[in-house]
């Protein structure tokens, strides 16, 4: 594949200049961010976005200044989960002002840039053959803009909610070479753990990114009536040894969390005493300990 530098002419668009300027802007923005954390999992539907929204809220409640990048460009859900879908982005000479939740967490998401509710993100490739490369390039470009062109101000934490897929983290590391760490999300099923193990190998062995820990989501359910705990998935599915060593916490399934996500209400704020909230607050605390020790 040719890079920008190989193009014989850029038809006057000074594309190399534009990309360099944006890369410089990205570095400048990151200079005012103390810690960057990617929330990832090879698997979809395991709760990455729910956890990102609630860890961000938990850290905000602990007095930290928090920004969130919804890096799931094709399936953005965080604007809804964090209750800012109706926010209008303000463009200023210093960059786009991120949307802000009632509690003060900042968010930027592709969802805030799409005009219609049912509008999908379309990447136009020249041919089916080019589609994969084109899409990957566009995704990295969009992510770079999200971080570089947003006026985040000073942040204690910038959380990135990654889309599913083991190949997503390298894109992030390309943009943020000194990524502070990753939080890996899995559910107890063997299918999920099989994929998530690959993500851990990618992060730890190939990219050498620090792993803050693993969160086991939807680990069990708590009966709404008697408070008894039971397995949500199969009875004999336990967490693999690879994960057990670095577990941050296990989050139970709680229908109220789903409802909060759908209503755009921060669950940890609304139900602070619920077992899942307590576990989520623990995870936020362990992230703080990771960086402060
Ligand atoms: N611990 C939980 N309890 C109840 N519902 C949950 C929990 N974690 C996630 N969900 C729900 O599961 C669905 C998938 O979660 P989501 O955060 O979108 O996953 P991902 O970002 O990994 O695709 C959502 O509808 C969400 O509300
Ligand atoms: Mg998601």
């Amino acid at each position: 594949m040719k890079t920008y530098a190989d193009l014989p002419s850029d038809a006057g668009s000074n594309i190399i200049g534009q990309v360099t300027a944006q890369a410089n802007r990205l570095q400048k923005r990151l200079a005012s961010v103390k810690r960057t954390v990617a929330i990832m999992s090879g698997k979809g539907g395991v709760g990455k976005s729910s956890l990102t929204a609630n860890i961000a809220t938990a850290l905000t409640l602990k007095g930290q200044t928090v920004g969130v990048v919804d890096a799931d460009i094709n399936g953005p859900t965080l604007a809804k989960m964090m209750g800012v879908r109706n926010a209008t982005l303000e463009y200023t000479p210093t960059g786009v002002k991120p949307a802000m939740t009632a509690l003060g967490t900042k968010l930027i998401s592709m969802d805030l840039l799409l005009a219609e509710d049912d509008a999908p993100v379309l990447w136009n490739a020249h041919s089916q053959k080019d589609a994969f490369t084109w899409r990957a390039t566009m995704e990295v470009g969009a992510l770079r803009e999200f971080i570089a062109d947003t006026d985040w101000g000073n942040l204690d934490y910038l959380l990135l909610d990654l889309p599913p897929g083991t190949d997503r983290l390298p894109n992030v590391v390309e943009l943020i070479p000194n990524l502070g760490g990753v939080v890996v999300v899995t559910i107890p099923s063997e299918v999920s753990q099989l994929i998530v193990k690959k993500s851990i190998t990618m992060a730890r062995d190939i990219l050498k990114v620090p792993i803050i820990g693993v969160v086991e989501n939807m680990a069990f359910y708590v009966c709404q009536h008697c408070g008894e705990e039971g397995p949500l998935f199969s009875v004999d599915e336990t967490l693999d040894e690879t994960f057990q060593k670095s577990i941050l916490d296990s989050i139970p399934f709680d229908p109220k969390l789903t409802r909060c996500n759908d209503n755009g209400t921060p669950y940890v704020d609304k139900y602070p005493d619920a077992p899942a909230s307590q576990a989520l607050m623990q995870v936020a605390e362990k992230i703080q300990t990771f960086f402060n020790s």
Side-chain angles (χ1 to χ4, degrees), residues 41 43-51 72 77 81 161-162 164 185 217-219 251-259 261-262 276:
S41 167
K43 198 84 179 68
V46 293
K48 292 177 296 297
S49 303
S50 309
L51 259 62
D72 196 340
T77 51
M81 286 183 180
D161 175 26
L162 301 198
V185 187
N217 189 28
M218 304 195 234
I251 321 272
F253 179 85
D254 184 350
K256 292 197 292 300
L257 195 150
T258 317
R259 216 175 311 125
N261 279 341
D262 290 345

